[in-house]
Amino acid sequence: MYEYQDGKRIRNVGFVKVEQTDESTIVHIHGKGLHLTEDKRLKVYIFYVKEGQCIGLWQGDIDHVNPAVNSRLTFTPEDTGRPSNYPLIEGVILENAGHRRFAAVWDDMPVAVERMQVFRDEPEPDLASLAARKAAQDEEEMRKRSSPEESGEDVPGEDIPDGNVPDTNGTSGEDSSMDLADSQEEAEPEALASEEETDIPEEMPRQERPNRTGGDPPIGSLRCIKIQRRDIAQLKRCEWRLANNSFLLHGYYSYHHLLLIQEGEKCWLGVPGIYHPREAQAAEAFGFPRFVRPDEGDVELTEEETNREEDFGYWCRPVRR
């Protein structure tokens, strides 16, 4: 845990220890040498980052701090504004009335804690609306690229100096000052901008079976492993950003699991859901373009993990382990 000033860490003031499950998180806060002069009360915020902005959610106050603090904070998905924010939480911020701020960040990545904005609840976005917005943005981007004046291509009759066309593709424990339990579960902040990528280079295996209302044929003869969201940390680091993918979170909180589909060295991540053309549009916009259905007995599911009345299956994308 560090004190922040002018956007920089200026000194180490202790550590936090995190115990996290899908139902709740316990944060043990241990600080020393805080030296709060007048106001010895600290407001406690948990936070996540959205479009580069640090969003804080107030959890309570710690009184009579000087010079040390030893406190325990417990929060659940219901304490994060809306349940879908729970897996996005990236750390904890302590602030006094004089705006001195101390923070611990789960993945030790730079965060502008001094520009923190307090969470304001807004309606949960509709996935289909997000998909339509994404499609419109892609169409606008394609229009710009096809226009010589805007794309930077040479226009006949004009002398345009050589230059580089901007790249429009997205980029994305135990006791220690910033190393926290389960820290690898959180995705890198830069990856949030690229969670909706649709460029899927590998094809799902197709098998000679009758198709149903849509999607791909069933996925028999494959090894299906039921996993939790935190198990994404067992994939390659480049895949960790998927833990914050909006479509994945929607399916995960609806059916309480994900599916890892393995065939030899090839691997796909499956998000549970119901096949519908409108849902297919949203799934593709968020990077899960293929819908497959396991055979009976391929994966054992509880009543809460499936929907036997609808066309249930998994929206999939290739991943690396």
Side-chain angles (χ1 to χ4, degrees):
M1 185 165 63
Y2 292 88
E3 181 173 6
Y4 283 75
Q5 190 175 86
D6 298 327
K8 299 180 180 179
R9 299 171 180 171
I10 60 173
R11 64 191 182 103
N12 188 317
V13 295
F15 66 93
V16 301
K17 181 179 178 181
V18 178
E19 302 172 11
Q20 189 172 46
T21 68
D22 290 336
E23 291 75 31
S24 66
T25 298
I26 300 175
V27 184
H28 302 270
I29 304 171
H30 303 280
K32 60 182 180 180
L34 275 62
H35 301 301
L36 303 178
T37 54
E38 296 181 0
D39 184 11
K40 295 179 172 52
R41 172 181 297 177
L42 289 173
K43 291 185 176 296
V44 182
Y45 297 86
I46 53 177
F47 73 89
Y48 63 96
V49 176
K50 180 179 181 181
E51 298 177 353
Q53 177 64 56
C54 178
I55 309 296
L57 300 108
W58 179 71
Q59 301 295 302
D61 296 343
I62 303 176
D63 294 320
H64 310 298
V65 176
N66 196 34
V69 57
N70 290 283
S71 183
R72 188 177 80 166
L73 167 68
T74 301
F75 64 91
T76 68
E78 287 69 32
D79 300 316
T80 60
R82 60 171 67 106
S84 59
N85 288 336
Y86 179 71
L88 306 181
I89 299 302
E90 296 190 22
V92 60
I93 296 174
L94 310 179
E95 178 188 51
N96 76 345
H99 298 291
R100 290 182 63 189
R101 285 182 175 169
F102 312 89
V105 185
W106 293 176
D107 58 11
D108 207 18
M109 296 296 293
V111 176
V113 299
E114 292 184 313
R115 299 205 307 268
M116 178 189 74
Q117 293 183 358
V118 177
F119 172 81
R120 296 178 60 183
D121 194 16
E122 297 176 355
E124 187 79 41
D126 176 68
L127 285 176
S129 299
L130 288 176
R133 189 186 314 166
K134 178 66 166 53
Q137 291 173 349
D138 290 344
E139 182 178 349
E140 176 66 16
E141 186 62 34
M142 290 298 294
R143 186 190 67 78
K144 289 182 178 180
R145 289 186 179 184
S146 63
S147 172
E149 293 83 358
E150 297 182 5
S151 65
E153 298 177 0
D154 290 343
V155 180
E158 295 185 15
D159 183 14
I160 299 179
D162 293 338
N164 294 326
V165 179
D167 181 8
T168 57
N169 292 326
T171 60
S172 152
E174 283 297 323
D175 299 356
S176 70
S177 60
M178 304 302 292
D179 295 328
L180 309 175
D182 294 337
S183 64
Q184 69 268 38
E185 184 174 331
E186 296 302 327
E188 296 179 349
E190 291 86 354
L192 295 179
S194 64
E195 70 172 22
E196 300 174 0
E197 65 181 3
T198 59
D199 183 17
I200 305 300
E202 236 180 312
E203 294 293 323
M204 289 290 291
R206 293 181 176 272
Q207 303 185 24
E208 299 299 327
R209 300 193 183 192
N211 201 359
R212 279 174 273 184
T213 59
D216 291 297
I219 56 172
S221 304
L222 299 180
R223 183 186 179 198
C224 300
I225 308 171
K226 188 168 66 174
I227 65 172
Q228 298 298 306
R229 176 183 166 274
R230 60 177 175 269
D231 297 323
I232 292 176
Q234 305 302 318
L235 301 176
K236 292 287 188 181
R237 186 179 180 88
C238 61
E239 308 290 1
W240 292 1
R241 69 188 187 280
L242 294 174
N244 290 336
N245 183 288
S246 298
F247 186 81
L248 181 145
L249 292 172
H250 174 72
Y252 179 74
Y253 279 104
S254 296
Y255 295 101
H256 313 293
H257 75 287
L258 302 170
L259 197 67
L260 200 62
I261 305 169
Q262 190 165 5
E263 182 186 35
E265 295 184 356
K266 294 183 179 180
C267 190
W268 293 269
L269 181 63
V271 175
I274 304 301
Y275 185 84
H276 187 277
R278 187 179 180 188
E279 191 77 359
Q281 181 185 16
E284 184 170 1
F286 284 92
F288 293 83
R290 294 196 170 274
F291 187 81
V292 294
R293 306 168 179 86
D295 285 340
E296 288 289 338
D298 280 348
V299 57
E300 184 176 348
L301 301 174
T302 67
E303 290 298 323
E304 293 182 347
E305 294 174 332
T306 187
N307 187 333
R308 305 188 189 282
E309 304 298 323
E310 303 288 347
D311 188 5
F312 179 82
Y314 294 86
W315 301 99
C316 299
R317 63 171 293 143
V319 292
R320 287 180 285 178
R321 298 190 71 180

